[in-house]
């Protein structure tokens, strides 16, 4: 599975799109590290991913709150779900208890979540707050 940016992911909110490009790049680096079974790179990319996701979700949540966005709470729950997944991943990495198969499963979950979430949930923010 190749992870890369494509314009189907554009939401129309400039700042968010720029952040999404970076987020997709971080997910792509993690995917690459898992594919190469490079444990050090996996640890590094997960670390980057955690920091960047927290920062990015915060920015998106601020936009939603400021605009009284109707689906804020359920949207935020999706963000929390993702952060919890990344937390579980980090915890298992620290305890060195993940098999390659489990890492690949986690890779697919994070990739699919990110692409679907951007295409459906994040695009809706821009549609709603600009109308
Ligand atoms: Fe979002």
């Amino acid at each position: 599975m190749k992870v890369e940016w494509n314009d189907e992911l554009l939401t129309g909110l400039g700042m968010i799109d720029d952040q999404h490009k970076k987020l997709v790049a971080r997910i792509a680096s993690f995917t690459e590290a898992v594919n190469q079974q490079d444990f050090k790179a996996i640890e590094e990319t997960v670390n980057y991913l955690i920091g960047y996701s927290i920062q990015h979700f915060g920015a998106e949540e601020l936009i939603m709150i400021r605009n009284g966005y109707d689906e804020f709470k359920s949207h935020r729950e999706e963000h929390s779900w993702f952060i919890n997944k990344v937390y579980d991943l980090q915890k298992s990495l620290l305890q060195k208890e993940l098999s390659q198969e489990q890492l690949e499963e986690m890779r697919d979950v994070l990739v699919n979540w990110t692409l679907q979430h951007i295409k459906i949930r994040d695009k809706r923010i821009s549609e709603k707050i600009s109308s």
Side-chain angles (χ1 to χ4, degrees), residues 60 75 79 117 122:
E60 238 179 41
H75 194 130
H79 288 171
H117 178 84
D122 292 342

Side-chain angles (χ1 to χ4, degrees), residues 98-116:
L98 279 176
S99 65
Q100 178 64 15
E101 199 185 352
Q102 286 168 312
L103 277 166
E104 287 171 6
E105 210 179 295
M106 191 60 96
R107 172 200 65 195
D108 294 344
V109 166
L110 297 186
V111 168
N112 290 330
W113 182 93
T114 305
L115 301 180
Q116 285 310 305

